[in-house]
Amino acid sequence: MTLRYLIRQAVTAAARRIAADLNNTLPEDFAARIDYTPALKFGHYATPVAMELAKVLRQSPRAIAQKIVEHLVNESFSKVEIAGAGFINITLSAKGIAAVANFTNIKNWLNANADEILTEKIIFEYVSANPTGPMNIVSARAASVGDSITRVLGAVGNAVFREYYVNDYGNQVEKLGLSFAYRYLQKFKSVALPDDCYQGEYIIEYLDKILANDKIPENIFLSKASIGAFDEAAWLKNASAFFAPLGVRAILKEQQKDLQAFRTEFDNFFSEASLHAQGAVMAVGAALAERGKTRSEDGAQIFVSTTYGDDKDRVIVRSDGRPTYLLADIAYHADKVARGFKKIIDIWGPDHHGYIARLSGALRALGFGDAVGEEFKVIIAQQVNLLENGEPVVMSKRLGKFQTMRDLLEKIPIDVCRWFFVQRALSTHLDFDLTLALDQSKKNPVYYVQYAHARIHSIFREANYAEHEHHWADLYPYYAAHSEREELYLFLLRFPELLQDIARNYEIQRLPEYLYQVATLFTHFYHGKNNRIKDLQSTNAAEAAALLALCALAAQVLEAGLSLLGISAPQEMHRNE
RNA sequence: GCCCUCGUAGCUCAGUGGAUAGAGCGUUGGUCUCCGAAGCCAUGUGCGCAGGUUCGAUUCCUGCCGAGGGCACCA
């Protein structure tokens, strides 16, 4: 249980009783909002519930607050008072804190709090870059954020399945095959690469690997002899079809390597082509038609997405009979529903935001979302601007400039990359300052947080402390009334509350913010005159032990938090100069 | 034309509708006989403009101004 949960239960119960006394009933899902106080002098937590209920209960906020305060006489609270227009400020007693802090290890505590939020079977799709080239910086951002959010979702008790959708079907793949074919042909003949082919040099690298490792069929294989007289158009067609799947495979493999280097794991790579092969794509089109959600126009089949708030209806089967990408995507998401997921969350690139209305409309047309607890959510990953010395970096590989996820990783340490990407809300444009990430590394927030963690371990070394279990529930008397200790301790106890919030709103940027604050509060504690553990060890061993336990809690929170962000928590820091 | 994101301190940005709006960088000045100075302390008259909803708006809604991105029977 978390402190906030304890208070919410008590305040909500009090509010219900007061409403009942006034012959009023609060909605079933009513729960009092519990906030943090701006400063400890106001208490530990605060609730504006009296002000929120003033209208519905037809009483003044202060009158309601007064009644709630009377109902909150409870051994868990040492002080409950009204402030301002009707805030109720709550100070927990040592007993109340002990009841919550009765864990001996932060990870056990996180697991024990799973009942405080709705835990669901979630499928989380992110990155899903086209298998037609190296991954770009937005993919790196989506990888960092998506991976961290899934770790948080898991940490608070959800079953999360991480999936990557591979667009290994359609025009783009055909173009990829054609690009390989032309690059192969170019080895024997001077021929220009068509404009609609992938221009990147990486195609040649992958081609050379394929030529070296795969068996090339006779009708595809080229030599100086065969190049003399042959049907180039026919050959291009065959060669494209041959190279396309091999190209996809090779590129996907490289993407997976990059993702691993980015400390991003997936449970599954889902092939779009497999949906087409099963007939699932056309089947879902038929399902939409059966439900009366489509119409025909010029031989094309059109999904009436305007019924669901879209700007215009969308083609799902072209007039030539081929399905559009949208229909495949609908089939893919219908497949997620069929697999039993209750929450479907996607991170998409900035060019896909127009797709949200039509896809969520299609899911609703198919019946998903009618049941309580079913949810489809799309988070748009906005673009990333790379800056160097304050100037935008031109995104052109041809000019030898910076562009890919791998380029980034080669230049910037992974811990810094991950931190920078999760530091800002995914839905906002991000300026990634390479100069700041590198040159000002000493002022880099990620190092500040890691440094705090390393410093705790330095204390452990100095104090000859061996890590073991602690019973923090009994130690609050050592922390109360010492502002640096108490602020640190109470802030650390918010950790699971924060993770629950992130699991609900996906705002991962709050985690680095919190960790930075933990590092700051720890540093304040560390510099406190009465907090010198080394001195206390000879004068008051029990107090020294209590402070070591506080340090251990801080270290556990920092380590757990950094780990959720895919960032290392070193026990010693070394400058690279 | 429509859609998305964003206008908060000199700069980069926090701030799930609440009590004196916060950090970092930069500036200036202090600070290592002391568990790590990647630290600490001091130093600041800022929510683009106009309405609306609300007991209460930086936060939600509408309009305007400004910045960036996106709008296929491509994927």
Side-chain angles (χ1 to χ4, degrees):
Chain A
M1 183 169 58
T2 59
L3 291 171
R4 189 173 62 183
Y5 188 71
L6 172 84
I7 294 169
R8 180 182 293 132
Q9 299 297 91
V11 173
T12 303
R16 280 191 193 287
R17 287 221 295 279
I18 289 156
D21 290 346
L22 295 165
N23 289 322
N24 207 320
T25 310
L26 299 176
E28 207 173 304
D29 60 351
F30 170 81
R33 208 169 78 226
I34 308 299
D35 295 329
Y36 301 118
T37 54
L40 275 187
K41 65 179 177 183
F42 295 111
H44 296 145
Y45 288 78
T47 177
V49 70
M51 292 181 280
E52 288 173 346
L53 290 176
K55 198 165 193 178
V56 58
L57 297 181
R58 296 185 179 179
Q59 300 256 317
S60 78
R62 288 191 73 94
I64 295 169
Q66 185 55 44
K67 292 195 180 96
I68 291 176
V69 168
E70 285 160 17
H71 279 86
L72 285 181
V73 178
N74 185 317
E75 63 180 11
S76 293
F77 310 125
S78 65
K79 194 162 67 174
V80 182
E81 50 187 15
I82 305 170
F87 286 102
I88 300 169
N89 289 336
I90 297 165
T91 305
L92 290 146
S93 64
K95 202 156 187 172
I97 291 176
V100 168
N102 61 349
F103 56 89
T104 54
N105 174 297
I106 191 80
K107 283 195 175 123
N108 296 342
W109 190 29
L110 290 175
N111 291 333
N113 293 331
D115 56 340
E116 287 179 37
I117 67 165
L118 193 63
T119 54
E120 294 278 20
K121 201 178 165 203
I122 301 173
I123 184 163
F124 202 104
E125 180 207 334
Y126 56 108
V127 185
S128 297
N130 287 330
T132 52
M135 285 189 291
N136 61 24
I137 305 292
V138 175
S139 289
R141 183 181 191 186
S144 302
V145 171
D147 179 66
S148 294
I149 292 176
T150 59
R151 292 189 200 209
V152 171
L153 287 170
V156 300
N158 293 286
V160 192
F161 192 78
R162 298 162 298 182
E163 193 158 271
Y164 186 118
Y165 185 49
V166 183
N167 299 127
D168 53 355
Y169 182 91
N171 288 348
Q172 292 198 121
V173 174
E174 285 167 26
K175 270 188 216 167
L176 184 72
L178 192 64
S179 308
F180 274 90
Y182 267 100
R183 289 301 193 181
Y184 189 28
L185 190 57
Q186 280 180 337
K187 289 182 184 292
F188 300 92
K189 190 178 168 186
S190 172
V191 50
L193 194 63
D195 285 344
D196 63 344
C197 280
Y198 293 98
Q199 306 292 317
E201 305 272 313
Y202 60 90
I203 299 281
I204 301 170
E205 290 171 36
Y206 295 135
L207 173 65
D208 288 340
K209 276 187 200 161
I210 290 170
L211 294 177
N213 298 324
D214 291 274
K215 187 168 161 41
I216 312 299
E218 255 179 64
N219 65 326
I220 308 293
F221 185 81
L222 293 182
S223 66
K224 275 183 182 164
S226 66
I227 204 78
F230 79 138
D231 182 343
E232 189 171 300
W235 180 86
L236 279 169
K237 197 171 171 229
N238 288 335
S240 297
F242 170 74
F243 281 118
L246 294 178
V248 166
R249 194 189 67 193
I251 289 170
L252 185 60
K253 208 170 148 193
E254 289 300 306
Q255 291 183 342
Q256 289 169 334
K257 242 164 62 185
D258 288 352
L259 289 167
Q260 267 188 349
F262 231 74
R263 301 174 181 160
T264 304
E265 301 289 335
F266 285 90
D267 296 305
N268 190 32
F269 286 80
F270 191 103
S271 157
E272 182 189 351
S274 72
L275 284 172
H276 291 274
Q278 292 162 22
V281 178
M282 295 312 283
V284 83
L288 282 170
E290 265 170 41
R291 286 165 178 261
K293 307 296 184 186
T294 65
R295 62 183 167 83
S296 292
E297 192 176 295
D298 303 332
Q301 190 187 1
I302 298 179
F303 168 48
V304 289
S305 54
T306 44
T307 315
Y308 301 95
D310 198 5
D311 300 340
K312 53 180 270 196
D313 295 339
R314 306 292 171 175
V315 174
I316 51 176
V317 182
R318 301 177 180 95
S319 38
D320 65 6
R322 288 155 50 232
T324 62
Y325 173 78
L326 174 62
L327 189 59
D329 218 10
I330 294 170
Y332 172 45
H333 283 78
D335 186 82
K336 292 179 182 177
V337 172
R339 280 185 274 164
F341 293 107
K342 296 294 178 202
K343 262 192 191 175
I344 298 176
I345 307 169
D346 295 347
I347 294 180
W348 289 351
D351 51 335
H352 280 64
H353 78 255
Y355 252 75
I356 298 173
R358 62 194 83 162
L359 188 56
S360 67
L363 285 180
R364 276 187 285 156
L366 293 168
F368 183 76
D370 293 344
V372 177
E374 288 183 350
E375 189 188 328
F376 172 58
K377 163 108 183 153
V378 176
I379 307 168
I380 295 296
Q382 287 291 349
Q383 65 168 116
V384 179
N385 298 314
L386 285 177
L387 301 179
E388 199 153 23
N389 300 315
E391 295 293 316
V393 175
V394 180
M395 305 282 261
S396 164
K397 194 77 176 175
R398 215 175 289 173
L399 300 172
K401 298 279 188 178
F402 215 75
Q403 180 177 289
T404 66
M405 182 161 164
R406 183 169 296 176
D407 291 337
L408 183 69
L409 207 45
E410 280 168 5
K411 186 156 181 175
I412 311 290
I414 177 68
D415 284 342
V416 179
C417 286
R418 296 275 314 217
W419 181 278
F420 271 50
F421 281 130
V422 295
Q423 208 180 1
R424 305 275 174 255
L426 190 62
S427 58
T428 69
H429 298 234
L430 172 69
D431 285 335
F432 193 114
D433 191 329
L434 297 167
T435 317
L436 185 73
L438 277 177
D439 300 340
Q440 301 189 6
S441 61
K442 288 174 188 170
K443 301 292 184 188
N444 205 312
V446 65
Y447 294 131
Y448 180 75
V449 174
Q450 289 181 325
Y451 180 68
H453 181 264
R455 181 181 255 169
I456 293 170
H457 281 272
S458 173
I459 293 173
F460 290 166
R461 289 189 290 271
E462 286 288 328
N464 288 315
Y465 163 87
E467 285 190 69
H468 57 274
E469 290 205 330
H470 292 284
H471 293 85
W472 287 283
D474 306 327
L475 298 175
Y476 183 59
Y478 288 104
Y479 309 146
H482 294 80
S483 63
E484 300 107 351
R485 300 179 192 179
E486 188 179 21
E487 280 187 41
L488 176 60
Y489 181 59
L490 289 169
F491 198 73
L492 292 170
L493 293 183
R494 290 182 189 179
F495 185 53
E497 299 169 0
L498 173 79
L499 297 186
Q500 290 171 6
D501 288 344
I502 294 171
R504 268 186 280 263
N505 59 28
Y506 316 115
E507 290 180 354
I508 193 69
Q509 75 276 9
R510 294 182 57 193
L511 183 49
E513 193 79 18
Y514 170 84
L515 294 176
Y516 192 87
Q517 183 70 16
V518 168
T520 302
L521 289 176
F522 170 75
T523 309
H524 288 322
F525 159 80
Y526 172 84
H527 286 284
K529 284 193 179 64
N530 303 316
N531 298 333
R532 290 189 58 78
I533 292 166
K534 225 176 162 183
D535 298 346
L536 283 169
Q537 278 186 314
S538 53
T539 59
N540 187 338
E543 190 170 5
L547 295 192
L548 279 171
L550 181 57
C551 289
L553 183 61
Q556 285 188 27
V557 167
L558 288 172
E559 190 188 357
L562 287 170
S563 153
L564 290 170
L565 298 177
I567 296 172
S568 65
Q571 301 192 349
E572 288 177 45
M573 298 288 282
H574 302 285
R575 284 190 182 85
N576 294 320
E577 310 219 42

PDB file of all heavy atoms in Angstrom, chain A residues 420-436:
ATOM      1  N   PHE A 420      17.988  11.675 -22.387  1.00  0.00           N
ATOM      2  CA  PHE A 420      17.527  12.834 -23.168  1.00  0.00           C
ATOM      3  C   PHE A 420      16.183  12.567 -23.833  1.00  0.00           C
ATOM      4  O   PHE A 420      15.343  13.444 -23.914  1.00  0.00           O
ATOM      5  CB  PHE A 420      18.577  13.214 -24.219  1.00  0.00           C
ATOM      6  CG  PHE A 420      19.603  14.184 -23.714  1.00  0.00           C
ATOM      7  CD1 PHE A 420      20.270  13.960 -22.519  1.00  0.00           C
ATOM      8  CD2 PHE A 420      19.893  15.345 -24.423  1.00  0.00           C
ATOM      9  CE1 PHE A 420      21.205  14.864 -22.037  1.00  0.00           C
ATOM     10  CE2 PHE A 420      20.843  16.262 -23.952  1.00  0.00           C
ATOM     11  CZ  PHE A 420      21.499  16.014 -22.758  1.00  0.00           C
ATOM     12  N   PHE A 421      16.001  11.332 -24.300  1.00  0.00           N
ATOM     13  CA  PHE A 421      14.746  11.043 -25.000  1.00  0.00           C
ATOM     14  C   PHE A 421      13.551  10.965 -24.052  1.00  0.00           C
ATOM     15  O   PHE A 421      12.437  11.306 -24.438  1.00  0.00           O
ATOM     16  CB  PHE A 421      14.857   9.744 -25.797  1.00  0.00           C
ATOM     17  CG  PHE A 421      15.580   9.917 -27.105  1.00  0.00           C
ATOM     18  CD1 PHE A 421      16.614   9.081 -27.457  1.00  0.00           C
ATOM     19  CD2 PHE A 421      15.206  10.920 -27.987  1.00  0.00           C
ATOM     20  CE1 PHE A 421      17.282   9.243 -28.669  1.00  0.00           C
ATOM     21  CE2 PHE A 421      15.862  11.089 -29.196  1.00  0.00           C
ATOM     22  CZ  PHE A 421      16.905  10.245 -29.532  1.00  0.00           C
ATOM     23  N   VAL A 422      13.773  10.496 -22.834  1.00  0.00           N
ATOM     24  CA  VAL A 422      12.612  10.381 -21.932  1.00  0.00           C
ATOM     25  C   VAL A 422      12.400  11.637 -21.107  1.00  0.00           C
ATOM     26  O   VAL A 422      11.434  11.762 -20.380  1.00  0.00           O
ATOM     27  CB  VAL A 422      12.726   9.169 -20.970  1.00  0.00           C
ATOM     28  CG1 VAL A 422      12.696   7.877 -21.743  1.00  0.00           C
ATOM     29  CG2 VAL A 422      13.943   9.280 -20.089  1.00  0.00           C
ATOM     30  N   GLN A 423      13.294  12.587 -21.252  1.00  0.00           N
ATOM     31  CA  GLN A 423      13.217  13.799 -20.451  1.00  0.00           C
ATOM     32  C   GLN A 423      12.053  14.690 -20.876  1.00  0.00           C
ATOM     33  O   GLN A 423      11.543  15.463 -20.079  1.00  0.00           O
ATOM     34  CB  GLN A 423      14.541  14.557 -20.601  1.00  0.00           C
ATOM     35  CG  GLN A 423      14.896  15.404 -19.423  1.00  0.00           C
ATOM     36  CD  GLN A 423      16.204  16.119 -19.655  1.00  0.00           C
ATOM     37  OE1 GLN A 423      16.824  15.996 -20.706  1.00  0.00           O
ATOM     38  NE2 GLN A 423      16.639  16.872 -18.672  1.00  0.00           N
ATOM     39  N   ARG A 424      11.666  14.592 -22.123  1.00  0.00           N
ATOM     40  CA  ARG A 424      10.584  15.434 -22.640  1.00  0.00           C
ATOM     41  C   ARG A 424       9.399  14.571 -23.017  1.00  0.00           C
ATOM     42  O   ARG A 424       9.561  13.442 -23.473  1.00  0.00           O
ATOM     43  CB  ARG A 424      11.058  16.190 -23.890  1.00  0.00           C
ATOM     44  CG  ARG A 424      12.301  16.991 -23.688  1.00  0.00           C
ATOM     45  CD  ARG A 424      12.024  18.361 -23.120  1.00  0.00           C
ATOM     46  NE  ARG A 424      13.268  19.038 -22.821  1.00  0.00           N
ATOM     47  CZ  ARG A 424      13.753  19.216 -21.591  1.00  0.00           C
ATOM     48  NH1 ARG A 424      13.094  18.774 -20.537  1.00  0.00           N
ATOM     49  NH2 ARG A 424      14.895  19.839 -21.407  1.00  0.00           N
ATOM     50  N   ALA A 425       8.208  15.157 -22.879  1.00  0.00           N
ATOM     51  CA  ALA A 425       7.001  14.432 -23.265  1.00  0.00           C
ATOM     52  C   ALA A 425       7.114  14.021 -24.731  1.00  0.00           C
ATOM     53  O   ALA A 425       7.547  14.800 -25.580  1.00  0.00           O
ATOM     54  CB  ALA A 425       5.775  15.297 -23.041  1.00  0.00           C
ATOM     55  N   LEU A 426       6.724  12.786 -25.020  1.00  0.00           N
ATOM     56  CA  LEU A 426       6.845  12.241 -26.370  1.00  0.00           C
ATOM     57  C   LEU A 426       6.048  13.045 -27.386  1.00  0.00           C
ATOM     58  O   LEU A 426       6.390  13.132 -28.552  1.00  0.00           O
ATOM     59  CB  LEU A 426       6.356  10.792 -26.354  1.00  0.00           C
ATOM     60  CG  LEU A 426       6.599   9.944 -27.589  1.00  0.00           C
ATOM     61  CD1 LEU A 426       8.076   9.785 -27.854  1.00  0.00           C
ATOM     62  CD2 LEU A 426       5.950   8.587 -27.428  1.00  0.00           C
ATOM     63  N   SER A 427       4.965  13.654 -26.916  1.00  0.00           N
ATOM     64  CA  SER A 427       4.054  14.332 -27.824  1.00  0.00           C
ATOM     65  C   SER A 427       4.539  15.730 -28.200  1.00  0.00           C
ATOM     66  O   SER A 427       3.868  16.418 -28.961  1.00  0.00           O
ATOM     67  CB  SER A 427       2.671  14.434 -27.186  1.00  0.00           C
ATOM     68  OG  SER A 427       2.772  15.124 -25.962  1.00  0.00           O
ATOM     69  N   THR A 428       5.667  16.150 -27.691  1.00  0.00           N
ATOM     70  CA  THR A 428       6.161  17.476 -28.047  1.00  0.00           C
ATOM     71  C   THR A 428       7.438  17.355 -28.874  1.00  0.00           C
ATOM     72  O   THR A 428       8.152  16.357 -28.807  1.00  0.00           O
ATOM     73  CB  THR A 428       6.461  18.323 -26.800  1.00  0.00           C
ATOM     74  OG1 THR A 428       7.594  17.778 -26.134  1.00  0.00           O
ATOM     75  CG2 THR A 428       5.297  18.341 -25.857  1.00  0.00           C
ATOM     76  N   HIS A 429       7.694  18.373 -29.633  1.00  0.00           N
ATOM     77  CA  HIS A 429       8.908  18.406 -30.444  1.00  0.00           C
ATOM     78  C   HIS A 429      10.113  18.450 -29.518  1.00  0.00           C
ATOM     79  O   HIS A 429      10.086  19.090 -28.474  1.00  0.00           O
ATOM     80  CB  HIS A 429       8.905  19.645 -31.329  1.00  0.00           C
ATOM     81  CG  HIS A 429       7.773  19.687 -32.301  1.00  0.00           C
ATOM     82  ND1 HIS A 429       7.945  19.850 -33.652  1.00  0.00           N
ATOM     83  CD2 HIS A 429       6.450  19.559 -32.116  1.00  0.00           C
ATOM     84  CE1 HIS A 429       6.762  19.812 -34.248  1.00  0.00           C
ATOM     85  NE2 HIS A 429       5.844  19.662 -33.337  1.00  0.00           N
ATOM     86  N   LEU A 430      11.132  17.728 -29.903  1.00  0.00           N
ATOM     87  CA  LEU A 430      12.308  17.630 -29.042  1.00  0.00           C
ATOM     88  C   LEU A 430      13.538  18.192 -29.747  1.00  0.00           C
ATOM     89  O   LEU A 430      13.835  17.814 -30.879  1.00  0.00           O
ATOM     90  CB  LEU A 430      12.558  16.159 -28.681  1.00  0.00           C
ATOM     91  CG  LEU A 430      13.851  15.858 -27.942  1.00  0.00           C
ATOM     92  CD1 LEU A 430      13.809  16.418 -26.528  1.00  0.00           C
ATOM     93  CD2 LEU A 430      14.114  14.367 -27.902  1.00  0.00           C
ATOM     94  N   ASP A 431      14.207  19.090 -29.058  1.00  0.00           N
ATOM     95  CA  ASP A 431      15.518  19.524 -29.528  1.00  0.00           C
ATOM     96  C   ASP A 431      16.569  18.694 -28.816  1.00  0.00           C
ATOM     97  O   ASP A 431      16.670  18.745 -27.593  1.00  0.00           O
ATOM     98  CB  ASP A 431      15.740  21.012 -29.226  1.00  0.00           C
ATOM     99  CG  ASP A 431      14.947  21.900 -30.174  1.00  0.00           C
ATOM    100  OD1 ASP A 431      14.643  21.436 -31.288  1.00  0.00           O
ATOM    101  OD2 ASP A 431      14.639  23.028 -29.799  1.00  0.00           O
ATOM    102  N   PHE A 432      17.290  17.896 -29.561  1.00  0.00           N
ATOM    103  CA  PHE A 432      18.340  17.063 -28.976  1.00  0.00           C
ATOM    104  C   PHE A 432      19.668  17.761 -29.249  1.00  0.00           C
ATOM    105  O   PHE A 432      20.129  17.816 -30.376  1.00  0.00           O
ATOM    106  CB  PHE A 432      18.318  15.673 -29.615  1.00  0.00           C
ATOM    107  CG  PHE A 432      19.136  14.654 -28.875  1.00  0.00           C
ATOM    108  CD1 PHE A 432      18.510  13.571 -28.256  1.00  0.00           C
ATOM    109  CD2 PHE A 432      20.509  14.754 -28.782  1.00  0.00           C
ATOM    110  CE1 PHE A 432      19.253  12.621 -27.573  1.00  0.00           C
ATOM    111  CE2 PHE A 432      21.253  13.818 -28.102  1.00  0.00           C
ATOM    112  CZ  PHE A 432      20.626  12.747 -27.496  1.00  0.00           C
ATOM    113  N   ASP A 433      20.229  18.316 -28.190  1.00  0.00           N
ATOM    114  CA  ASP A 433      21.443  19.110 -28.344  1.00  0.00           C
ATOM    115  C   ASP A 433      22.670  18.223 -28.161  1.00  0.00           C
ATOM    116  O   ASP A 433      23.004  17.829 -27.057  1.00  0.00           O
ATOM    117  CB  ASP A 433      21.439  20.246 -27.320  1.00  0.00           C
ATOM    118  CG  ASP A 433      22.537  21.263 -27.608  1.00  0.00           C
ATOM    119  OD1 ASP A 433      23.588  20.857 -28.143  1.00  0.00           O
ATOM    120  OD2 ASP A 433      22.335  22.443 -27.300  1.00  0.00           O
ATOM    121  N   LEU A 434      23.315  17.916 -29.288  1.00  0.00           N
ATOM    122  CA  LEU A 434      24.479  17.022 -29.231  1.00  0.00           C
ATOM    123  C   LEU A 434      25.609  17.632 -28.423  1.00  0.00           C
ATOM    124  O   LEU A 434      26.349  16.934 -27.737  1.00  0.00           O
ATOM    125  CB  LEU A 434      24.958  16.719 -30.659  1.00  0.00           C
ATOM    126  CG  LEU A 434      23.954  15.978 -31.538  1.00  0.00           C
ATOM    127  CD1 LEU A 434      24.384  16.018 -32.989  1.00  0.00           C
ATOM    128  CD2 LEU A 434      23.796  14.553 -31.067  1.00  0.00           C
ATOM    129  N   THR A 435      25.721  18.944 -28.512  1.00  0.00           N
ATOM    130  CA  THR A 435      26.792  19.608 -27.781  1.00  0.00           C
ATOM    131  C   THR A 435      26.571  19.459 -26.279  1.00  0.00           C
ATOM    132  O   THR A 435      27.512  19.178 -25.527  1.00  0.00           O
ATOM    133  CB  THR A 435      26.834  21.101 -28.156  1.00  0.00           C
ATOM    134  OG1 THR A 435      26.675  21.218 -29.569  1.00  0.00           O
ATOM    135  CG2 THR A 435      28.139  21.722 -27.727  1.00  0.00           C
ATOM    136  N   LEU A 436      25.310  19.649 -25.878  1.00  0.00           N
ATOM    137  CA  LEU A 436      25.002  19.492 -24.458  1.00  0.00           C
ATOM    138  C   LEU A 436      25.196  18.047 -24.025  1.00  0.00           C
ATOM    139  O   LEU A 436      25.727  17.773 -22.944  1.00  0.00           O
ATOM    140  CB  LEU A 436      23.551  19.925 -24.198  1.00  0.00           C
ATOM    141  CG  LEU A 436      23.112  19.923 -22.744  1.00  0.00           C
ATOM    142  CD1 LEU A 436      23.766  21.095 -22.008  1.00  0.00           C
ATOM    143  CD2 LEU A 436      21.603  20.021 -22.628  1.00  0.00           C
TER     144      LEU A 436
END
